[in-house]
Amino acid sequence: MDTKSTDSLTLITITIFFFCFGLSSHGRCLAAAPKNLTSGSSLSLNETIQSPSGLFQFGFFAMPQGSSSMYLGVFYNQVTVKELVSIWVANRNQSLSTDATFTFTEEGNLTLKDRQGGSIIWQIGAGNLLQLLDSGNLILGTSNASSETIVWQSFEHPGNTWMPTGSIGPHQKLESWRNASDPRPGPYSLVMGNNSNFILLYNDSIQYWDSGAWNGAIFSNVPEMTANYIFNFSFSNITGFTWSVYPAYGDKYNNSRFVMQEDGLVAESSYDKSQNSWDIFWTKPNQHCDVIRYCGQNSICN
């Protein structure tokens, strides 16, 4: 190969590299993401589906700190922070290798395997259309010329993150991760109490915070909700609590979320586009030492 050909090949390689890097703030070279997935198709490690606005993507991703462990889930696409931010993980109890396969079978089942022909890690069904909404909700449904029906949705199976328009009801909970790179359930959780309230638990048994009863406007132990509160809560006996951002605050707080953190605090945060960072502006309990083992096992918290 002559020098001119070598230089041309080098230029093409460099161009492809920077094009791939530009497609994602996390350095992943992604194929053009379709808006949905139909039965009889699949996703490889470098493919995703995305929400209509492109805010969220669903596909494989690796945890931070250069981990080789792979996970399948929903994550932010248009939020440019250093590390990928996921809001839901399908296989949080078991990581995957790079040989993992995700298939939407002809029968309508979503099937995740660690390798071709391997054991099933996660499976749901049956539908013929998989969609990712701009809320971050992943929906499996059946669609035909006359109707659409939701068979399954990720918002009914939250992990550590509670998103706007999602609900937390009597049989659901937010569970912390074990640490920042391990999404397996940790010891802390946020659940509904028996008095239209929320409580924080350690190991599903020891309560260390109570929101107080809901009176239709605020939780009794969260008086700050009356002072120009930016979130609107609603309650249903069937679905529990749902929240959204008041329209007046939408420009600044539209990308907001509740997270049950690994340190036992439940936190509200919002993405600050100007700073490319998540701002945590509300946490409970107020006194961090109220969290069971906040400072570690066999320690005294001060």
Side-chain angles (χ1 to χ4, degrees):
M1 184 180 293
D2 59 29
T3 303
K4 182 178 292 186
S5 299
T6 302
D7 291 343
S8 298
L9 181 60
T10 302
L11 178 60
I12 292 171
T13 303
I14 293 172
T15 302
I16 292 174
F17 171 79
F18 280 104
F19 175 73
C20 290
F21 190 88
L23 287 176
S24 170
S25 60
H26 310 286
R28 302 175 67 209
C29 185
L30 300 175
K35 301 298 183 182
N36 51 55
L37 206 64
T38 55
S39 54
S41 54
S42 62
L43 285 180
S44 64
L45 289 183
N46 66 336
E47 294 176 324
T48 67
I49 65 171
Q50 68 178 22
S51 63
S53 71
L55 178 60
F56 295 100
Q57 294 199 73
F58 167 74
F60 291 97
F61 62 92
M63 284 298 170
Q65 289 88 45
S67 171
S68 61
S69 297
M70 300 297 297
Y71 293 89
L72 179 72
V74 178
F75 52 91
Y76 282 95
N77 178 42
Q78 295 178 357
V79 170
T80 53
V81 294
K82 182 179 179 180
E83 295 176 346
L84 179 145
V85 177
S86 64
I87 64 170
W88 180 80
V89 182
N91 59 306
R92 68 177 299 186
N93 289 303
Q94 183 175 341
S95 64
L96 304 165
S97 70
T98 54
D99 295 323
T101 62
F102 174 72
T103 306
F104 194 175
T105 68
E106 293 285 357
E107 295 75 25
N109 298 316
L110 303 180
T111 303
L112 176 64
K113 296 181 179 181
D114 194 18
R115 56 185 60 84
Q116 187 69 36
S119 59
I120 295 175
I121 305 299
W122 177 76
Q123 185 178 56
I124 57 171
N128 60 12
L129 182 65
L130 184 67
Q131 294 177 298
L132 181 59
L133 306 185
D134 277 332
S135 61
N137 193 12
L138 185 69
I139 291 180
L140 173 65
T142 57
S143 178
N144 53 49
S146 59
S147 65
E148 291 186 0
T149 303
I150 295 176
V151 175
W152 174 94
Q153 52 186 319
S154 61
F155 272 14
E156 292 184 348
H157 306 272
N160 71 333
T161 305
W162 186 15
M163 298 293 291
T165 72
S167 298
I168 298 293
H171 304 294
Q172 296 166 312
K173 62 181 177 180
L174 293 187
E175 289 182 294
S176 67
W177 288 13
R178 293 195 180 184
N179 57 57
S181 58
D182 187 349
R184 288 179 297 172
Y188 300 106
S189 59
L190 174 76
V191 302
M192 273 190 61
N194 297 321
N195 194 27
S196 298
N197 61 328
F198 280 110
I199 57 176
L200 291 174
L201 297 177
Y202 176 78
N203 280 347
D204 291 327
S205 58
I206 305 175
Q207 178 180 320
Y208 60 92
W209 180 76
D210 184 348
S211 71
W214 173 253
N215 66 9
I218 70 169
F219 296 100
S220 60
N221 291 337
V222 190
E224 61 267 30
M225 292 184 71
T226 61
N228 297 319
Y229 203 59
I230 63 176
F231 296 140
N232 177 35
F233 278 78
S234 60
F235 176 74
S236 163
N237 289 325
I238 298 175
T239 60
F241 286 96
T242 304
W243 70 282
S244 60
V245 180
Y246 278 115
Y249 300 100
D251 289 343
K252 184 175 181 180
Y253 295 101
N254 237 7
N255 290 335
S256 297
R257 58 191 177 131
F258 281 85
V259 176
M260 186 67 250
Q261 299 184 154
E262 303 90 63
D263 59 8
L265 299 174
V266 62
E268 285 179 282
S269 61
S270 182
Y271 177 66
D272 185 340
K273 188 175 182 179
S274 64
Q275 300 296 322
N276 293 333
S277 64
W278 286 93
D279 291 339
I280 297 176
F281 56 88
W282 182 93
T283 61
K284 291 295 179 182
N286 290 332
Q287 302 299 321
H288 294 180
C289 286
D290 289 343
V291 177
I292 304 298
R293 294 184 176 174
Y294 180 79
C295 294
Q297 191 167 355
N298 301 321
S299 63
I300 298 175
C301 188
N302 183 8

